[in-house]
Amino acid sequence: MNSTLKSTLQKQVSLKPFNTFQIDATAEYLAEISHPDDLTSIMASSPFNRHPHYVLGGGSNVLFVDDFPGLIIKNNIPGITVVAENTQYVIIRVGAGVVWDELVKHTLNHGWGGLENLSMIPGLTGAAPIQNIGAYGVELEKLFVSLDAIHLKTGKTESFDRSMCKFGYRDSIFKSSLKGKYLITYVTLKLGKKPAINVEYGNLKKVLKSEGIKNPTIRDVSRAVRRIRKSKLPDPLITGNAGSFFKNPVLSGTTYEILKMKHPQMPGYFLDSSGPHSFESGNTTSEQPVAESDGRGRVKVPAAWLIEQCGFKGMREGDTGVHEKHALILVNHGAATGTQLLKLARTIQEEVLDHFEISLEPEVHIVSNL
Ligand code: FAD
Ligand code: EPU
């Protein structure tokens, strides 16, 4: 092991400060990298080669169920660089270790539009493509140009453009066939200098109207998004959580129709022909609740509603629980373990399946030795 690595490699590290669920699991080894070259010595080391390894960003979408018996590689690669620009747009290359919301603020300060609806999402830029982060009518893929990533077997850097990433709703190729195979080092985004404002999602327009804002700027949109988020999402610094624990299920129109006969109050949002991203795309029609589906299109059902109907909203058992303002958010009230939270998640899945015949798929990455 070379001396640089020796100095950055820590042993028996508590992961509590490294995950927003605040789970007190222990990692056998932890190494932080601040430059892609740092990975060379890590990949040559015995902790990397003799043990499992896991790339971590801000830890805001992971649940550590057990102690981690290997090497956690914490990504801190910095930097926001303009690589091209003209009067219409700017292309920026962002280090994977840049805190996502710091990037959003940086773009707002420069008057570059595109990320304002994605304000206040926790975590780092390098993780944003993994699940194609989305909120308030925008998904990352809309701004995405490419990413650089190091293959964790060959050590080679490869570039992925948008089509190679196979983005979907809370999905990308890095969650399926390439899961765990790469460490993302840089993300390149294209932002507008004459931003198109998008306030069609949910109550964004209503909040802006209540503030008397008719022609919102990107800063207004960001402020409104922050206000909505603060009103319903728990602050992970106070209450451990990882945002939505499950993805919203997407059903065929026919399945939705059948279920709606049994459960007339079940909300649903019609996905138009523009594909699986449309419910996060800000298309007004795709966000309208459907009174009737045409039986052909797909329908997104809010997982929060299903969970609330099963009686979990606001429940607490020991230090595990479901947030009182949002049923899709599992919380750690203090000393919950990953195993306890996973047990609660499984109970919720079973109850929702029993009541509604719908399987909930976790959005959160469950890191377990099993
Ligand atoms: P981590 O949790 O550290 O990692 C997530 C996954 O990505 C892991 O599998 C990890 O191995 C992998 N990974 C991380 N970095 C890299 C890298 N550089 N290279 C390769 N793999 C990597 N998400 C949304 O989409 N929309 C929301 O509105 C939203 N709201 C949230 C609100 C709260 C309060 C919280 C706690 C979470 C929310 N999330 C939301 C989820 C989360 O913030 C995002 O998924 C975020 O992108 C995760 O970033 P992270 O750096 O914390 O990733
Ligand atoms: N609802 C309930 N009970 C609740 C909360 C919500 O029934 O306790 C119902 C309401 O009908 C509401 C609907 O659920 O209209 C949708 O709720 P919300 O607008 O809060 O959005 P969501 O579908 O729960 C999604 C993302 C969030 C993202 C918001 C805003 C997923 C899994 N979650 O939540 O992302 O911030 O939309 O765009 O798609 C995350 O991924 O971690 C995350 C927080």
Side-chain angles (χ1 to χ4, degrees), residues 160-182:
F160 291 76
D161 66 17
R162 193 189 318 194
S163 70
M164 290 162 85
C165 290
K166 297 199 191 313
F167 289 125
Y169 162 60
R170 296 292 187 272
D171 202 18
S172 77
I173 194 161
F174 301 102
K175 285 182 79 175
S176 51
S177 59
L178 300 186
K179 189 174 176 179
K181 291 195 164 50
Y182 286 86

Tab-separated table of all heavy atoms in Angstrom, residues 160-182:
chain	number	residue	atom	x	y	z
A	160	PHE	N	-20.033	8.617	-21.218
A	160	PHE	CA	-21.391	8.143	-21.523
A	160	PHE	C	-22.236	9.337	-21.932
A	160	PHE	O	-22.353	10.300	-21.160
A	160	PHE	CB	-22.044	7.516	-20.281
A	160	PHE	CG	-21.423	6.215	-19.847
A	160	PHE	CD1	-20.204	6.206	-19.185
A	160	PHE	CD2	-22.055	5.013	-20.089
A	160	PHE	CE1	-19.618	5.009	-18.771
A	160	PHE	CE2	-21.490	3.816	-19.683
A	160	PHE	CZ	-20.267	3.820	-19.029
A	161	ASP	N	-22.836	9.270	-23.123
A	161	ASP	CA	-23.768	10.341	-23.498
A	161	ASP	C	-25.170	9.973	-23.001
A	161	ASP	O	-25.370	8.915	-22.383
A	161	ASP	CB	-23.716	10.633	-25.003
A	161	ASP	CG	-24.220	9.470	-25.839
A	161	ASP	OD1	-24.895	8.572	-25.287
A	161	ASP	OD2	-23.936	9.453	-27.050
A	162	ARG	N	-26.136	10.834	-23.301
A	162	ARG	CA	-27.469	10.646	-22.743
A	162	ARG	C	-28.085	9.291	-23.132
A	162	ARG	O	-28.636	8.583	-22.296
A	162	ARG	CB	-28.388	11.778	-23.210
A	162	ARG	CG	-29.671	11.823	-22.429
A	162	ARG	CD	-30.669	12.772	-22.997
A	162	ARG	NE	-30.088	14.030	-23.437
A	162	ARG	CZ	-30.804	15.105	-23.728
A	162	ARG	NH1	-32.097	15.079	-23.593
A	162	ARG	NH2	-30.224	16.197	-24.166
A	163	SER	N	-27.946	8.922	-24.414
A	163	SER	CA	-28.609	7.682	-24.833
A	163	SER	C	-27.954	6.473	-24.168
A	163	SER	O	-28.625	5.496	-23.837
A	163	SER	CB	-28.614	7.559	-26.355
A	163	SER	OG	-27.311	7.315	-26.803
A	164	MET	N	-26.647	6.554	-23.933
A	164	MET	CA	-25.957	5.418	-23.290
A	164	MET	C	-26.404	5.229	-21.842
A	164	MET	O	-26.316	4.130	-21.298
A	164	MET	CB	-24.435	5.637	-23.326
A	164	MET	CG	-23.841	5.525	-24.711
A	164	MET	SD	-22.216	6.297	-24.747
A	164	MET	CE	-21.195	4.958	-24.162
A	165	CYS	N	-26.869	6.308	-21.227
A	165	CYS	CA	-27.267	6.225	-19.812
A	165	CYS	C	-28.640	5.566	-19.626
A	165	CYS	O	-28.982	5.164	-18.505
A	165	CYS	CB	-27.283	7.611	-19.177
A	165	CYS	SG	-25.629	8.300	-18.975
A	166	LYS	N	-29.423	5.476	-20.703
A	166	LYS	CA	-30.751	4.841	-20.641
A	166	LYS	C	-31.576	5.351	-19.445
A	166	LYS	O	-32.019	4.578	-18.579
A	166	LYS	CB	-30.617	3.320	-20.565
A	166	LYS	CG	-29.956	2.696	-21.793
A	166	LYS	CD	-30.272	1.229	-21.864
A	166	LYS	CE	-29.471	0.463	-22.872
A	166	LYS	NZ	-29.340	1.009	-24.198
A	167	PHE	N	-31.751	6.661	-19.430
A	167	PHE	CA	-32.496	7.262	-18.327
A	167	PHE	C	-33.982	6.896	-18.363
A	167	PHE	O	-34.572	6.755	-19.442
A	167	PHE	CB	-32.389	8.791	-18.383
A	167	PHE	CG	-31.021	9.316	-18.024
A	167	PHE	CD1	-30.332	10.146	-18.899
A	167	PHE	CD2	-30.435	8.997	-16.808
A	167	PHE	CE1	-29.084	10.663	-18.572
A	167	PHE	CE2	-29.179	9.497	-16.470
A	167	PHE	CZ	-28.501	10.325	-17.349
A	168	GLY	N	-34.560	6.769	-17.208
A	168	GLY	CA	-36.005	6.576	-17.074
A	168	GLY	C	-36.420	7.232	-15.771
A	168	GLY	O	-35.626	7.927	-15.130
A	169	TYR	N	-37.647	6.973	-15.362
A	169	TYR	CA	-38.129	7.511	-14.088
A	169	TYR	C	-37.348	6.851	-12.945
A	169	TYR	O	-37.404	5.649	-12.763
A	169	TYR	CB	-39.633	7.246	-13.960
A	169	TYR	CG	-40.163	7.364	-12.547
A	169	TYR	CD1	-40.055	8.544	-11.833
A	169	TYR	CD2	-40.782	6.276	-11.936
A	169	TYR	CE1	-40.538	8.644	-10.537
A	169	TYR	CE2	-41.279	6.359	-10.642
A	169	TYR	CZ	-41.137	7.551	-9.952
A	169	TYR	OH	-41.614	7.638	-8.665
A	170	ARG	N	-36.567	7.640	-12.234
A	170	ARG	CA	-35.721	7.157	-11.134
A	170	ARG	C	-34.870	5.962	-11.588
A	170	ARG	O	-34.679	4.999	-10.844
A	170	ARG	CB	-36.573	6.731	-9.921
A	170	ARG	CG	-37.365	7.848	-9.278
A	170	ARG	CD	-36.455	8.873	-8.602
A	170	ARG	NE	-37.186	9.857	-7.855
A	170	ARG	CZ	-37.652	10.999	-8.357
A	170	ARG	NH1	-37.461	11.302	-9.619
A	170	ARG	NH2	-38.299	11.859	-7.583
A	171	ASP	N	-34.328	6.083	-12.814
A	171	ASP	CA	-33.639	4.921	-13.371
A	171	ASP	C	-32.571	5.325	-14.382
A	171	ASP	O	-32.667	6.375	-15.028
A	171	ASP	CB	-34.677	4.013	-14.072
A	171	ASP	CG	-34.180	2.586	-14.198
A	171	ASP	OD1	-33.243	2.209	-13.478
A	171	ASP	OD2	-34.727	1.854	-15.044
A	172	SER	N	-31.546	4.479	-14.485
A	172	SER	CA	-30.511	4.622	-15.510
A	172	SER	C	-29.826	3.269	-15.632
A	172	SER	O	-30.079	2.356	-14.836
A	172	SER	CB	-29.474	5.672	-15.107
A	172	SER	OG	-28.601	5.108	-14.130
A	173	ILE	N	-28.937	3.173	-16.600
A	173	ILE	CA	-28.205	1.912	-16.805
A	173	ILE	C	-27.331	1.572	-15.594
A	173	ILE	O	-26.994	0.415	-15.352
A	173	ILE	CB	-27.371	1.989	-18.103
A	173	ILE	CG1	-26.899	0.593	-18.511
A	173	ILE	CG2	-26.183	2.968	-17.976
A	173	ILE	CD1	-26.475	0.472	-19.954
A	174	PHE	N	-27.021	2.618	-14.772
A	174	PHE	CA	-26.166	2.392	-13.598
A	174	PHE	C	-26.941	1.749	-12.438
A	174	PHE	O	-26.371	1.467	-11.388
A	174	PHE	CB	-25.507	3.711	-13.151
A	174	PHE	CG	-24.672	4.309	-14.251
A	174	PHE	CD1	-25.150	5.387	-15.003
A	174	PHE	CD2	-23.446	3.768	-14.575
A	174	PHE	CE1	-24.392	5.912	-16.035
A	174	PHE	CE2	-22.688	4.288	-15.615
A	174	PHE	CZ	-23.161	5.366	-16.351
A	175	LYS	N	-28.249	1.555	-12.646
A	175	LYS	CA	-29.029	0.820	-11.648
A	175	LYS	C	-29.340	-0.594	-12.133
A	175	LYS	O	-29.917	-1.382	-11.390
A	175	LYS	CB	-30.353	1.549	-11.346
A	175	LYS	CG	-30.170	2.783	-10.480
A	175	LYS	CD	-31.493	3.448	-10.174
A	175	LYS	CE	-32.254	2.743	-9.075
A	175	LYS	NZ	-33.487	3.495	-8.712
A	176	SER	N	-28.979	-0.885	-13.396
A	176	SER	CA	-29.279	-2.239	-13.900
A	176	SER	C	-27.993	-2.921	-14.361
A	176	SER	O	-27.201	-3.349	-13.530
A	176	SER	CB	-30.337	-2.159	-15.006
A	176	SER	OG	-29.953	-1.202	-15.999
A	177	SER	N	-27.754	-2.992	-15.672
A	177	SER	CA	-26.626	-3.811	-16.144
A	177	SER	C	-25.258	-3.280	-15.698
A	177	SER	O	-24.307	-4.048	-15.599
A	177	SER	CB	-26.681	-3.968	-17.665
A	177	SER	OG	-26.626	-2.708	-18.278
A	178	LEU	N	-25.143	-1.973	-15.435
A	178	LEU	CA	-23.839	-1.434	-15.023
A	178	LEU	C	-23.784	-1.112	-13.519
A	178	LEU	O	-22.912	-0.376	-13.068
A	178	LEU	CB	-23.485	-0.187	-15.849
A	178	LEU	CG	-23.392	-0.400	-17.368
A	178	LEU	CD1	-22.887	0.866	-18.063
A	178	LEU	CD2	-22.479	-1.578	-17.710
A	179	LYS	N	-24.710	-1.697	-12.779
A	179	LYS	CA	-24.780	-1.413	-11.332
A	179	LYS	C	-23.449	-1.739	-10.634
A	179	LYS	O	-22.918	-2.850	-10.771
A	179	LYS	CB	-25.905	-2.255	-10.724
A	179	LYS	CG	-26.222	-1.904	-9.313
A	179	LYS	CD	-27.428	-2.678	-8.827
A	179	LYS	CE	-27.654	-2.374	-7.359
A	179	LYS	NZ	-28.818	-3.061	-6.843
A	180	GLY	N	-22.915	-0.759	-9.914
A	180	GLY	CA	-21.695	-0.977	-9.125
A	180	GLY	C	-20.421	-1.105	-9.936
A	180	GLY	O	-19.356	-1.371	-9.384
A	181	LYS	N	-20.498	-0.935	-11.260
A	181	LYS	CA	-19.309	-1.199	-12.095
A	181	LYS	C	-18.446	0.045	-12.335
A	181	LYS	O	-17.295	-0.077	-12.730
A	181	LYS	CB	-19.747	-1.780	-13.439
A	181	LYS	CG	-20.327	-3.191	-13.316
A	181	LYS	CD	-20.386	-3.853	-14.681
A	181	LYS	CE	-20.584	-5.333	-14.636
A	181	LYS	NZ	-21.639	-5.854	-13.823
A	182	TYR	N	-19.005	1.233	-12.135
A	182	TYR	CA	-18.269	2.468	-12.460
A	182	TYR	C	-18.286	3.444	-11.291
A	182	TYR	O	-19.234	3.477	-10.502
A	182	TYR	CB	-18.928	3.170	-13.656
A	182	TYR	CG	-18.678	2.496	-14.982
A	182	TYR	CD1	-19.499	1.457	-15.405
A	182	TYR	CD2	-17.626	2.900	-15.791
A	182	TYR	CE1	-19.268	0.830	-16.622
A	182	TYR	CE2	-17.385	2.280	-17.007
A	182	TYR	CZ	-18.200	1.256	-17.417
A	182	TYR	OH	-17.969	0.633	-18.614
